[in-house]
Amino acid sequence: MNGENFTLITGASMGIGKAFSNACAARGMNLVLVALPDGELAAVQKEILATWEVKVLVFTIDLTEEDAVKRLYDFCIEMDLTIDVLINNAGIGTGGRFENIGLEKQLKVIDLNNKVLVRMCHYFLPLLQKQDKAYILNMSSMEANLPLPYKAVYTGSKNFVYAFSLALREELKRGPVCVSVVCPGPVVTNAEGLERMKAHGSRAKLVVLMPDEVAEIGLKCLLKGKTIIIPGKINWVLVKLSRLFPTATKMRLLERLFRVYNTH
Ligand SMILES: NC(=O)c1ccc[n+]([C@@H]2O[C@H](COP(=O)([O-])OP(=O)(O)OC[C@H]3O[C@@H](n4cnc5c(N)ncnc54)[C@H](OP(=O)(O)O)[C@@H]3O)[C@@H](O)[C@H]2O)c1
């Protein structure tokens, strides 16, 4: 499309993905936004077009469908888009005791958080490699460093994203594509998130960020080529401190802090 560059963002209809879309648009970056059909993506597109002078294309699809990422890729090729930033943000979670959560639900988390993310990197890397400079930002979580009991599969999926991103970054370090991984702590993105924060009481307020803050820090650090991005000073300190604790002590403490999810 006229040689203009585009940023591709998954899960852009709400929450952190929507915030990334706005942060990119504010920097004059053209966008390809992806989310599920029948959601708020068209409204996000309209809002951004009304606010910033950028191009915004939308593609709605369930990314966990077997051929979805290929269809998205084909769309970008048909539109002759130059992609120079890929933000793999779409993700879902589960909370509760592992044995109480249905297997299908658990596997869906892995499908979206991991399989889709790998497919996105696989399909779009060759396009990114055609650029002089390009970026991939993968959405992990603080939980990649602090494995949370009662969120076992989600925590595991984010650990995969973390390790995969570091390894891929190293493999690609002599090329034009820079890979970063962002590890936010709790972010209030909806009413459920607000309830979760309230359930944890005042200590939660210390670590909770808003989507706009995560996106602003995430994008700034991505464009600077930072490897691991942990938004929020306290969250950063907590991750560093957690490495000083013996694993068993750390896990006992985390179990106690997150026991509230036991009955979710
Ligand atoms: N919120 C937090 O506290 C937090 C903390 C750390 C990391 N994260 C990570 O940050 C990312 C965004 O989280 P969020 O809280 O902003 O999420 P969110 O508000 O629930 O938004 C999720 C986005 O992903 C899209 N999506 C969900 N399933 C999809 C599918 N199968 N195919 C295509 N799109 C799909 C949704 O589309 P529709 O709106 O159309 O359904 C929506 O745009 C996730 O990877 C999450 O794990 C979140």
Side-chain angles (χ1 to χ4, degrees):
M1 201 185 247
N2 282 341
E4 287 170 301
N5 290 357
F6 279 77
T7 293
L8 174 55
I9 306 176
T10 64
S13 65
M14 55 187 190
I16 302 171
K18 180 181 172 184
F20 266 114
S21 308
N22 275 297
C24 290
R27 284 170 168 77
M29 295 156 76
N30 299 312
L31 303 168
V32 185
L33 307 180
V34 185
L36 285 167
D38 306 323
E40 295 297 313
L41 200 58
V44 172
Q45 178 189 36
K46 209 169 148 193
E47 204 178 298
I48 294 175
L49 286 173
T51 316
W52 313 103
E53 283 208 6
V54 292
K55 295 201 167 71
V56 185
L57 304 176
V58 294
F59 192 83
T60 60
I61 197 160
D62 181 346
L63 283 167
T64 60
E65 284 171 12
E66 196 61 34
D67 63 344
V69 174
K70 177 162 187 331
R71 279 160 59 194
L72 170 61
Y73 172 79
D74 290 343
F75 166 79
C76 294
I77 295 295
E78 274 159 32
M79 298 292 291
D80 197 20
L81 300 181
T82 302
I83 307 287
D84 68 343
V85 182
L86 167 61
I87 301 182
N88 283 315
N89 163 76
I92 47 172
T94 51
R97 288 184 77 83
F98 175 73
E99 74 244 40
N100 293 341
I101 303 169
L103 181 61
E104 283 311 309
K105 208 169 168 187
Q106 306 272 31
L107 294 177
K108 192 93 180 165
V109 173
I110 296 170
D111 279 348
L112 184 61
N113 296 7
N114 300 147
K115 285 170 78 173
V116 166
L117 185 135
V118 170
R119 280 200 187 103
M120 289 292 295
C121 290
H122 174 85
Y123 275 97
F124 286 95
L125 186 57
L127 291 189
L128 294 163
Q129 282 172 322
K130 287 184 185 162
Q131 309 310 312
D132 292 337
K133 188 75 208 152
Y135 302 89
I136 296 176
L137 181 63
N138 288 333
M139 177 57 74
S140 177
S141 161
M142 224 168 114
E143 294 164 33
N145 289 281
L146 296 163
L148 292 193
Y150 312 117
K151 290 177 86 177
V153 169
Y154 177 75
T155 280
S157 77
K158 292 302 179 183
N159 205 293
F160 172 90
V161 174
Y162 183 81
F164 169 75
S165 304
L166 295 187
L168 186 63
R169 177 186 173 95
E170 212 52 31
E171 282 182 32
L172 300 177
K173 73 179 173 196
R174 285 186 189 84
V177 183
C178 178
V179 181
S180 299
V181 60
V182 57
C183 305
V187 185
V188 177
T189 52
N190 51 35
E192 198 193 320
L194 198 61
E195 284 310 308
R196 270 205 311 268
M197 187 184 82
K198 283 181 187 160
H200 282 289
S202 56
R203 68 170 179 253
K205 293 199 184 85
L206 293 172
V207 292
V208 167
L209 293 178
M210 297 312 284
D212 293 351
E213 297 174 283
V214 172
E216 203 44 52
I217 296 166
L219 190 57
K220 209 163 119 189
C221 294
L222 171 73
L223 298 175
K224 278 187 186 161
K226 249 194 119 191
T227 311
I228 300 164
I229 305 163
I230 303 171
K233 284 198 176 66
I234 294 180
N235 294 344
W236 186 88
V237 170
L238 281 176
V239 169
K240 298 286 165 196
L241 275 180
S242 73
R243 295 192 183 137
L244 305 176
F245 283 82
T247 304
T249 313
K250 180 171 78 179
M251 292 313 299
R252 263 201 306 278
L253 189 66
L254 286 170
E255 194 279 330
R256 209 166 300 161
L257 283 172
F258 288 88
R259 203 170 283 170
V260 64
Y261 288 124
N262 188 2
T263 51
H264 273 212

